[in-house]
Amino acid sequence: MKNFFKKYLFFFLVLIFLFLTNIFCTDFFDSVTWIKDGGDYGLDFSWSPDGRFLAVGANVDTPTSELEDLTIYEWDGFKLTYKDKIAFPFQCYAVDWSPDGRFLIAGGTVGIATGELNDLVIYEWNGSSLIYKKQRGYGVRVMGLSWNPNGIYLAVAGNKGNEDLTVYGWDGSIFTQKDTKSHGTQARSVSWSQDGKYLAVVGNNAPKDLIVYEWNGSILTEKDTKNYADYAESVDWSPDGRFLAVGAYNGIDDLIVYSWNGSSLAQLDTKDFSGRCESVSWSQDGKYLAAGGLNGPNNMIVYEWNGSSLVYKTQKTHGIQVMGVSWSPDGKYLAVTGENGTEDFILYRRFGYIDGTKESRYFYNNYFFNNDGFVSGDVNFANGITVEQSKTVVLNLLAPIKGKIDLNNSATIELESDLYLGSDAYFYDGGKICGNGNALFLSGNFTTSTDSVIHISGDMIIDGQYNNFELGKWSQIFVDTDVTLTLRNLTLKNMRNNQGFPPVRLAAHGSKLALDNVVIAPNCDFYFPEGQLFIYNDVSFTGTHRFI
C-alpha cells in the first residue's frame, strides 16, 4: 500500500510540475505575427527608421504580383501590406535604409541596366513606391551595406578585387568614392558604430577576417583585427558602441561578442552554431542578441546580454537555414529570413507586448509582467501593474495607470511618452523610472511604501497637478548621474529620513534637481549634500526643520 501511494504521489507531483511549468515558463516570443514566401530564399531585411516599412532582399526566380528580389512592405503592427517591388538581375543580397528614411540602398549580383552595371542601386522612397536615383557597378556582387548614422556616408562590402570595402559619400543625387580597402577574397558584412567613428567589416581575409577601422570623414585607419578558422559572415555594433557581435564559420566559436574600448577588441563570450552563424542583430536597447545560420533545427537563437556573457532565451526552427535577422527599431518584433519553404520571412512579436493602438484593452486585475514588456495606445490597467525583478516595461499609454505599481525594488519603467497616474495610484516598492524627457502626471495625492527608493535614471518631470507626493518611512528619490529631475506643481512630503539618507539624493555633481512651483514640507532636516539645484517660479520650504 505504501509503495502504491509513493508511486502515485510521485506521478501527481510530476503533473503539478508540468502544469506550473506551462503557466510560468513562457516563450520569449508571444506569437508568430506574419509569414511570407520568399521565392527560393530570403537574404536580408531592413526596417525603416520609424518601423513602418520593411525592405526584403531575396532570390526570386519566379516573381509574383507581390514578390520580387527587392520587395517593400508596410507594417502596422498587425499585418504586412505590399507596397512596391524591384527585380534584380539575379538576387538582392543586402538592403539598408538611410537614417532619415528617405533613401533605400540595395545590392546584389552583377546585371546590366541603362548601359551600366547595376549591382549597387539607390532609390528614393516616397511612402508608396521606390524611385530610381543612382546605380554603380561593384565587381562580382554586393554582400553588405551600412549607412553611417549621419546619412552622408555609405559603406559597401562585396567582391570587387582590391576594393572589397568602399565608403561612398552621398549628397542626395550622386555617389562620391571616399576610401576603399581590399578584404582578401571578399567582404561579407559591414557595420558602423552608432557615433559613426568606427566601421567594422568581416569576410574571408585571413588572417584579418574581421577589421575595425576608424573613420575621420575621408580615410579609414585600421585599429584592430581578428582571424577565424574559415571566415566571418556578419557583424553588428551594440547600440551604445561598447560591444561588437560577429557571426562566423569558426569551429565551436561561431558567434562571438567582443568589447571595444576605442582602440582594441577583447573577446567576452562565444557560442557554437554547429555549422555557421550567418546573421547577428542587437535589439535597440542592447539587451538581446539574435543570431541565425546553419545550426540544425535550432538555427535562430535569441540570447540575453548582461554585459559580459550571452544567456540563452529562446530558439526557433527556420527550415534549412537562417540568412538574416533584424530587430524592429522599437525592439518589439524580430524579422527572420532564410530558406524555409513557403515561410521564408517570419515576423515574431516579443512576449509582453500589449498593443492598444487599434482597439482599447482593459485589465481589471493587477497585471504581472514576468518578462520585459511593451505597452502602447489605449491600454487600461484598472488595478495597477507588477514588474518582475530586473525587468523593464516600456510605456506609451493614453490611459492612466490606477492602483498599485510594484517594481520589486529593481524593475524599470521606461517612458516613451507622458504617463498619467490615477488618483488611487501608489508605489508599493521602489524601482527605476527612465523618463526619456517625458513627464509623470499625478491625478491625486501619491505615496510610496516604506523602505523604497525611486531611482530616476533618465531626465523626467514629475508634475503633481497641485497634489502631494509623499515618501514613506526611509524612502527616497534618487537622481542618477547627469540626470535632471524636475518637480513641478506639487507638495513634497516625507515621513522619516536622516543626514545619510535624505528624501531626495543626487548621485553626483552633474545631477540636477529643478523645483518649479513646489512646496517642500519636510518632516525632518532636509540635507542636500551633492548636485545642482534650480529654482523656478514660487518655491517654499515650510515647517520647523532646516534645509542644509
Side-chain angles (χ1 to χ4, degrees):
M1 186 68 180
K2 289 182 178 178
N3 290 335
F4 177 86
F5 178 77
K6 289 180 179 179
K7 175 181 178 181
Y8 282 95
L9 176 61
F10 174 78
F11 215 33
F12 179 69
L13 291 174
V14 169
L15 289 175
I16 291 176
F17 172 77
L18 293 174
F19 175 73
L20 293 176
T21 298
N22 286 332
I23 290 177
F24 295 110
C25 295
T26 54
D27 191 3
F28 182 78
F29 293 110
D30 204 11
S31 63
V32 173
T33 304
W34 203 258
I35 296 173
K36 288 283 185 181
D37 185 9
D40 294 308
Y41 46 84
L43 288 161
D44 195 22
F45 272 126
S46 181
W47 293 87
S48 62
D50 59 7
R52 283 187 58 200
F53 303 102
L54 190 62
V56 182
N59 180 27
V60 180
D61 289 337
T62 308
T64 68
S65 60
E66 296 185 4
L67 182 64
E68 256 293 4
D69 300 310
L70 173 60
T71 308
I72 308 297
Y73 298 100
E74 185 171 16
W75 174 244
D76 64 1
F78 288 91
K79 65 181 185 302
L80 288 169
T81 303
Y82 162 78
K83 300 297 290 186
D84 201 5
K85 62 179 184 176
I86 299 290
F88 260 63
F90 296 102
Q91 50 202 207
C92 182
Y93 266 97
V95 288
D96 198 31
W97 293 92
S98 63
D100 60 6
R102 285 186 58 202
F103 301 102
L104 180 73
I105 189 78
T109 48
V110 173
I112 303 294
T114 62
E116 58 180 324
L117 298 175
N118 69 336
D119 44 351
L120 179 64
V121 188
I122 194 164
Y123 304 92
E124 189 169 7
W125 175 247
N126 62 13
S128 60
S129 59
L130 293 166
I131 303 167
Y132 166 82
K133 293 291 293 184
K134 200 71 176 176
Q135 64 193 36
R136 288 186 74 99
Y138 205 81
V140 178
R141 67 171 62 91
V142 170
M143 301 192 72
L145 298 165
S146 182
W147 285 93
N148 187 287
N150 66 17
I152 62 175
Y153 302 116
L154 175 71
V156 182
N159 189 341
K160 195 186 179 187
N162 292 324
E163 300 180 358
D164 301 312
L165 172 65
T166 304
V167 177
Y168 295 102
W170 173 252
D171 65 0
S173 59
I174 60 172
F175 289 109
T176 304
Q177 183 170 304
K178 294 293 185 178
D179 198 5
T180 184
K181 301 290 183 182
S182 173
H183 201 81
T185 303
Q186 60 186 341
R188 292 172 175 261
S189 180
V190 66
S191 177
W192 291 98
S193 60
Q194 288 299 309
D195 59 8
K197 290 177 60 177
Y198 303 103
L199 182 66
V201 57
V202 298
N204 192 346
N205 185 37
K208 298 181 178 182
D209 298 313
L210 163 65
I211 303 177
V212 176
Y213 294 98
E214 188 171 19
W215 174 247
N216 66 2
S218 59
I219 297 173
L220 293 167
T221 302
E222 185 178 302
K223 300 294 288 184
D224 199 5
T225 70
K226 296 294 177 182
N227 184 40
Y228 302 105
D230 288 276
Y231 52 83
E233 288 270 9
S234 181
V235 63
D236 194 29
W237 288 97
S238 63
D240 59 8
R242 295 174 55 206
F243 306 106
L244 189 68
V246 176
Y249 189 17
N250 189 41
I252 61 171
D253 298 327
D254 302 311
L255 173 61
I256 311 101
V257 178
Y258 301 95
S259 64
W260 173 250
N261 62 10
S263 60
S264 62
L265 297 162
Q267 182 174 301
L268 296 178
D269 199 7
T270 69
K271 296 295 178 183
D272 184 10
F273 240 74
S274 182
R276 61 179 178 268
C277 182
E278 297 195 13
S279 183
V280 291
S281 176
W282 290 98
S283 60
Q284 292 305 302
D285 58 8
K287 291 182 65 175
Y288 301 100
L289 181 66
L294 273 171
N295 191 33
N298 307 318
N299 49 20
M300 196 285 287
I301 303 179
V302 174
Y303 300 93
E304 187 171 6
W305 177 247
N306 62 16
S308 60
S309 59
L310 295 165
V311 180
Y312 167 85
K313 294 297 291 184
T314 193
Q315 60 194 32
K316 296 292 181 183
T317 300
H318 195 86
I320 296 174
Q321 62 182 323
V322 170
M323 303 184 77
V325 289
S326 180
W327 289 100
S328 61
D330 57 14
K332 297 170 185 174
Y333 302 95
L334 179 68
V336 180
T337 186
E339 193 172 357
N340 190 30
T342 59
E343 300 182 358
D344 297 316
F345 309 147
I346 299 180
L347 284 184
Y348 293 99
R349 182 175 60 202
R350 280 277 302 277
F351 180 81
Y353 178 38
I354 303 173
D355 190 352
T357 59
K358 299 294 186 282
E359 59 184 8
S360 298
R361 305 285 301 277
Y362 291 87
F363 299 95
Y364 296 101
N365 297 320
N366 186 274
Y367 191 91
F368 179 50
F369 291 91
N370 63 350
N371 209 320
D372 293 335
F374 305 86
V375 188
S376 59
D378 188 13
V379 179
N380 295 263
F381 295 106
N383 200 24
I385 63 173
T386 297
V387 186
E388 187 176 326
Q389 291 180 349
S390 303
K391 302 301 181 183
T392 299
V393 171
V394 181
L395 300 179
N396 185 359
L397 288 175
L398 298 177
I401 295 180
K402 302 175 182 178
K404 180 177 74 172
I405 301 170
D406 187 355
L407 300 182
N408 281 293
N409 290 315
S410 62
T412 301
I413 288 177
E414 184 173 340
L415 303 185
E416 284 192 343
S417 64
D418 293 342
L419 176 65
Y420 288 80
L421 301 182
S423 59
D424 62 345
Y426 66 99
F427 273 118
Y428 179 73
D429 273 327
K432 291 185 179 182
I433 304 177
C434 181
N436 292 319
N438 296 297
L440 181 72
F441 288 93
L442 309 183
S443 299
N445 293 332
F446 186 83
T447 62
T448 70
S449 61
T450 301
D451 297 318
S452 62
V453 175
I454 308 302
H455 186 146
I456 307 300
S457 61
D459 293 352
M460 67 176 295
I461 299 166
I462 299 178
D463 191 320
Q465 299 194 99
Y466 301 98
N467 292 294
N468 296 336
F469 190 111
E470 185 168 352
L471 295 166
K473 291 181 181 179
W474 304 115
S475 295
Q476 181 182 77
I477 299 174
F478 182 85
V479 183
D480 217 340
T481 303
D482 298 324
V483 169
T484 299
L485 170 65
T486 300
L487 300 180
R488 186 171 68 192
N489 304 328
L490 58 78
T491 296
L492 179 66
K493 297 183 176 182
N494 73 306
M495 295 186 68
R496 183 177 297 173
N497 293 86
N498 60 21
Q499 180 177 357
F501 193 76
V504 180
R505 178 62 189 261
L506 275 60
H509 177 71
S511 309
K512 302 176 180 68
L513 175 65
L515 303 177
D516 185 356
N517 281 331
V518 168
V519 175
I520 307 292
N523 197 37
C524 56
D525 287 348
F526 192 126
Y527 288 85
F528 192 85
E530 193 166 20
Q532 302 176 47
L533 179 66
F534 297 84
I535 303 294
Y536 298 97
N537 299 311
D538 292 332
V539 174
S540 64
F541 289 80
T542 183
T544 61
H545 299 284
R546 298 174 298 169
F547 178 75
I548 302 172

